[in-house]
């Protein structure tokens, strides 16, 4: 059972079950349920205390990186139409520990995201959003799995690329296959394969999202650095197709 599910069960126990038992079984049964609820509450408090060091460490990391910090989400990122969020959005999804400002010379937002995979398993991710001028067609690059092979419901057509190894490792979807083929060239595919398991990227409008399994607070800047490396490896051919979407390059004179 995940933490958020446990909270809902506990609240339901107090609001519904305890008054019902008082009416039907009397005070003794109600006291037994209250005792169970107290035990569950203690475990939830202990869980909150275990999470506090991460929050404090991320606050310190934000200061080190020159970023602002909020324990909750001040930007309503969960309302954004990223496929990661849309595909996992539920009452159990949670987004917190948001850092924002300018990192690696890019406007950015870093955050923790967690969602329920099954009744007894929660996946936790470290995510980085980087903003760029202009805008691109929507593109999703995510680790291939049994789940993604059945995920045509996200509304984006799949894109098959030239590398079979890459197609087995990643699920690529885009509203513009021409854009996907131009951006995910042989150099980009080789780099993505070298990153290892768990990395995913999305492009939507002026935002690029990168995510991986949750890292330690002092490793969070590495997530942003990887998103920056992704941007650096975008082929120049993409600039020809969508010139308004790429920032000025210092190595190319106007």
């Amino acid at each position: 059972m995940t933490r958020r599910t446990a909270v809902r069960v506990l609240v339901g126990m107090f609001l519904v079950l305890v008054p019902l038992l008082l009416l039907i079984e009397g005070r003794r049964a109600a006291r037994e349920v209250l005792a169970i609820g107290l035990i569950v509450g203690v475990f939830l408090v202990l869980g909150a205390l275990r999470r506090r060091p991460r929050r404090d460490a991320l606050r310190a990391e934000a200061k080190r990186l020159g970023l602002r910090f909020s324990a909750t989400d001040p930007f309503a990122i969960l309302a954004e139409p990223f496929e990661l969020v849309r595909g996992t959005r539920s009452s159990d999804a949670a987004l917190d520990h948001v850092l924002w400002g300018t990192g690696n010379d890019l406007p950015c937002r870093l955050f923790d995201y967690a969602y329920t995979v099954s009744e007894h398993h929660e996946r936790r991710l470290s995510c980085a959003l980087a903003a760029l001028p202009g805008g691109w067609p929507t593109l999703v690059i995510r680790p291939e799995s049994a789940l993604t092979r059945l995920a045509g419901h996200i509304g984006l057509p799949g894109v098959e690329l030239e590398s079979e190894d890459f197609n087995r490792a990643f699920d690529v979807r885009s509203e513009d296959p021409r854009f996907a083929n131009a951006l995910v060239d042989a150099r980009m595919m080789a780099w993505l394969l070298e990153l290892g398991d768990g990395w995913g990227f999305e492009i939507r409008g002026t935002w690029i999202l990168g995510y991986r399994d949750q890292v330690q607070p002092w490793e969070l800047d590495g997530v942003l650095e990887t998103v920056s490396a992704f941007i650096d490896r975008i082929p120049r051919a993409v600039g020809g197709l969508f010139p308004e979407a790429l920032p000025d390059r210092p190595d190319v004179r106007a």
Side-chain angles (χ1 to χ4, degrees):
M1 181 183 294
T2 65
R3 173 176 56 87
R4 287 176 292 280
T5 300
V7 170
R8 292 202 304 274
V9 170
L10 186 62
V11 172
M13 183 185 299
F14 278 94
L15 295 181
V16 179
L17 187 56
V18 172
L20 185 62
L21 285 172
L22 279 171
L23 290 173
I24 298 175
E25 299 292 340
R27 293 183 179 179
R28 181 178 178 181
R31 284 198 299 268
E32 291 175 353
V33 172
L34 283 171
I36 295 172
L38 180 60
I39 293 172
V40 175
V42 169
F43 277 106
L44 291 175
V45 170
L46 291 175
L49 291 175
R50 285 196 300 268
R51 290 189 299 276
R52 184 171 179 176
R54 179 172 180 83
R55 182 193 67 191
D56 293 344
L58 284 168
R59 191 189 304 275
E61 187 68 8
K63 184 177 181 179
R64 183 182 74 83
L65 297 174
L67 302 174
R68 299 180 66 183
F69 175 83
S70 173
T72 57
D73 176 16
F75 301 106
I77 299 172
L78 278 178
E80 297 290 340
F82 287 105
E83 296 300 339
L84 171 65
V85 173
R86 291 176 59 185
T88 57
R89 183 186 289 128
S90 70
S91 58
D92 274 344
L95 192 154
D96 53 16
H97 300 148
V98 181
L99 294 72
W100 73 94
T102 300
N104 285 40
D105 298 321
L106 293 169
C108 66
R109 298 171 186 173
L110 311 175
F111 53 92
D112 288 342
Y113 180 61
Y115 63 93
T116 299
V117 177
S118 64
E119 183 179 358
H120 303 290
H121 178 57
E122 181 180 65
R123 189 180 182 199
R124 299 178 183 180
L125 303 171
S126 291
C127 308
L129 275 173
L132 290 176
W136 281 308
T138 299
L139 174 68
V140 175
I141 305 170
R142 57 185 181 175
E144 181 65 282
S145 67
L147 180 62
T148 58
R149 284 191 288 271
L150 299 174
H153 65 276
I154 70 173
L156 293 173
V159 179
E160 290 291 318
L161 300 171
E162 295 180 358
S163 169
E164 289 300 321
D165 289 341
F166 185 84
N167 290 332
R168 285 192 294 269
F170 288 92
D171 177 50
V172 178
R173 295 176 179 271
S174 178
E175 61 187 1
D176 187 340
R178 181 186 59 152
F179 171 69
N181 278 279
L183 191 145
V184 190
D185 65 355
R187 179 169 172 259
M188 179 69 84
M189 283 189 280
W191 179 75
L192 289 168
L193 287 169
E194 289 175 359
L195 278 181
D197 296 336
W199 276 99
F201 297 89
E202 291 191 34
I203 295 174
R204 183 172 287 274
T206 60
W207 288 106
I208 295 180
L209 168 67
Y211 58 89
R212 58 162 300 173
D213 290 334
Q214 192 174 90
V215 300
Q216 296 295 337
W218 53 87
E219 298 174 311
L220 192 59
D221 57 339
V223 181
L224 180 59
E225 288 174 1
T226 300
V227 173
S228 296
F230 179 95
I231 295 170
D232 290 342
R233 285 168 174 78
I234 293 174
R236 295 189 180 185
V238 176
L241 293 172
F242 303 91
E244 74 285 355
L246 285 173
D248 295 334
R249 292 180 54 130
D251 58 334
V252 177
R253 293 184 179 180

